[in-house]
Amino acid sequence: LLAADPRDAAAAHDLSLARKRIGAILIVLRRNEEALPEYEAALKIDTEMAARNPANSDRQLDPTYAMTDMALAMERLGRWEPALASYREALGIRRRLEESDPHNARITYSVNSSLGRVARAETTWGNLLAGQAQRRSALPHWRAAKDLFAVGIKVLGIAEDFTVDAGQELLEELLALDEREVAGVAAV
């Protein structure tokens, strides 16, 4: 359908969703490398549709779903820096959209979801770096996670989601970091 009329918004949206679904199935099957091209194709479609419809908040939000799913696949492949970059980009877009459309429940939910995903990814990457005796490199990730957790706790009572997903002990540990401890780790 899309080949017949490349500007057909409904066909483009359907094709993007189909590619995302294929990517999701591949992730479930632990075929993360194969999932990436599916999400890249969906992201290309969604980005083109967003450019054609700058006033449509749903079309602006659509690319972020491919971004976060690509990040998940990259995370599972151990590609932490590109995964974090993709998570952060999606969160940035979602926050910008929330500022312009604060009553859109889909956008608000997406922001909250991204806060948790980015915080967990920052925490995990920080912990992996610390486990490799790279505590100084881990600090910015832990700080970012701590800040994101704090934002998440304030926004719409999502503290329960963070504690369930990140683990109560981890949340308390991150929030308990004080400047003295951070300064001590930075000196290592």
Short mmCIF file of all heavy atoms in Angstrom, two decimals, residues 5 53 88 93 96 101 113 122 126 141 146 157 163 170 179 185:
data_model
loop_
_atom_site.label_atom_id
_atom_site.label_comp_id
_atom_site.label_asym_id
_atom_site.label_seq_id
_atom_site.Cartn_x
_atom_site.Cartn_y
_atom_site.Cartn_z
N ASP A 5 1.30 4.72 -2.75
CA ASP A 5 1.16 6.13 -2.39
C ASP A 5 2.01 6.42 -1.15
O ASP A 5 1.54 6.26 -0.03
CB ASP A 5 -0.31 6.49 -2.13
CG ASP A 5 -0.49 7.98 -1.84
OD1 ASP A 5 0.50 8.74 -1.90
OD2 ASP A 5 -1.63 8.37 -1.54
N ASN A 53 3.82 16.38 9.73
CA ASN A 53 2.71 16.77 10.61
C ASN A 53 3.24 17.40 11.90
O ASN A 53 3.02 16.85 12.99
CB ASN A 53 1.86 15.53 10.95
CG ASN A 53 1.27 14.88 9.74
OD1 ASN A 53 0.34 15.42 9.17
ND2 ASN A 53 1.81 13.74 9.35
N ARG A 88 17.62 8.66 26.07
CA ARG A 88 17.63 10.09 26.43
C ARG A 88 16.96 10.94 25.35
O ARG A 88 16.25 11.89 25.66
CB ARG A 88 19.06 10.57 26.63
CG ARG A 88 19.73 10.04 27.88
CD ARG A 88 21.17 10.48 27.92
NE ARG A 88 21.91 9.85 28.99
CZ ARG A 88 23.16 9.45 28.89
NH1 ARG A 88 23.83 9.62 27.74
NH2 ARG A 88 23.78 8.90 29.91
N ILE A 93 12.32 14.32 23.68
CA ILE A 93 11.18 14.61 22.80
C ILE A 93 9.89 14.56 23.59
O ILE A 93 9.03 15.44 23.46
CB ILE A 93 11.14 13.61 21.61
CG1 ILE A 93 12.33 13.85 20.68
CG2 ILE A 93 9.81 13.72 20.85
CD1 ILE A 93 12.54 12.74 19.66
N ARG A 96 9.48 17.60 25.81
CA ARG A 96 9.13 18.77 25.00
C ARG A 96 7.66 18.74 24.61
O ARG A 96 6.95 19.75 24.71
CB ARG A 96 10.03 18.83 23.76
CG ARG A 96 9.72 19.99 22.82
CD ARG A 96 10.60 19.99 21.58
NE ARG A 96 10.65 18.75 20.84
CZ ARG A 96 9.70 18.30 20.00
NH1 ARG A 96 8.62 19.00 19.79
NH2 ARG A 96 9.85 17.16 19.35
N ASP A 101 1.76 20.18 25.40
CA ASP A 101 0.44 19.55 25.48
C ASP A 101 0.33 18.82 26.83
O ASP A 101 0.28 17.59 26.89
CB ASP A 101 0.27 18.59 24.31
CG ASP A 101 -1.16 18.10 24.13
OD1 ASP A 101 -2.03 18.49 24.93
OD2 ASP A 101 -1.39 17.31 23.19
N SER A 113 7.07 6.71 31.64
CA SER A 113 7.71 5.47 31.22
C SER A 113 9.19 5.70 30.91
O SER A 113 10.05 4.93 31.31
CB SER A 113 6.98 4.90 30.00
OG SER A 113 7.66 3.80 29.48
N GLU A 122 20.62 3.99 33.24
CA GLU A 122 21.75 4.74 33.85
C GLU A 122 22.31 3.97 35.05
O GLU A 122 23.53 3.84 35.21
CB GLU A 122 21.31 6.13 34.29
CG GLU A 122 20.93 7.08 33.19
CD GLU A 122 22.10 7.74 32.48
OE1 GLU A 122 23.27 7.35 32.69
OE2 GLU A 122 21.84 8.67 31.69
N GLY A 126 25.97 2.32 35.17
CA GLY A 126 26.85 2.76 36.26
C GLY A 126 27.36 1.60 37.08
O GLY A 126 28.55 1.52 37.42
N HIS A 141 26.50 8.44 35.70
CA HIS A 141 25.32 7.61 35.44
C HIS A 141 24.48 7.46 36.72
O HIS A 141 23.26 7.53 36.66
CB HIS A 141 25.73 6.26 34.88
CG HIS A 141 26.43 6.38 33.56
ND1 HIS A 141 25.77 6.72 32.41
CD2 HIS A 141 27.74 6.25 33.23
CE1 HIS A 141 26.63 6.78 31.41
NE2 HIS A 141 27.82 6.49 31.89
N LYS A 146 19.80 9.03 39.89
CA LYS A 146 19.26 9.61 41.12
C LYS A 146 18.33 10.78 40.79
O LYS A 146 17.23 10.88 41.33
CB LYS A 146 20.40 10.08 42.02
CG LYS A 146 19.96 10.71 43.30
CD LYS A 146 21.16 11.21 44.09
CE LYS A 146 20.70 12.04 45.26
NZ LYS A 146 21.77 12.77 45.89
N GLY A 157 2.73 10.50 41.22
CA GLY A 157 2.79 9.37 42.15
C GLY A 157 3.34 8.10 41.54
O GLY A 157 2.84 7.02 41.84
N THR A 163 9.95 1.88 42.45
CA THR A 163 10.42 0.94 43.46
C THR A 163 10.22 -0.50 43.01
O THR A 163 11.05 -1.34 43.28
CB THR A 163 9.75 1.19 44.82
OG1 THR A 163 8.35 1.10 44.66
CG2 THR A 163 10.13 2.53 45.38
N LEU A 170 17.74 -0.51 45.78
CA LEU A 170 18.50 0.32 44.85
C LEU A 170 18.03 1.77 44.91
O LEU A 170 18.83 2.69 44.96
CB LEU A 170 18.36 -0.21 43.43
CG LEU A 170 19.00 0.62 42.33
CD1 LEU A 170 20.51 0.75 42.56
CD2 LEU A 170 18.73 0.00 40.98
N GLU A 179 26.79 14.26 49.07
CA GLU A 179 27.98 14.85 48.46
C GLU A 179 29.26 14.29 49.05
O GLU A 179 30.25 14.11 48.35
CB GLU A 179 27.95 16.36 48.57
CG GLU A 179 26.90 17.02 47.68
CD GLU A 179 27.02 16.62 46.23
OE1 GLU A 179 28.14 16.63 45.69
OE2 GLU A 179 25.99 16.28 45.62
N VAL A 185 34.01 8.78 46.48
CA VAL A 185 34.11 7.88 45.32
C VAL A 185 34.88 8.56 44.20
O VAL A 185 35.71 7.94 43.54
CB VAL A 185 32.72 7.44 44.86
CG1 VAL A 185 32.81 6.64 43.57
CG2 VAL A 185 32.03 6.62 45.93
#
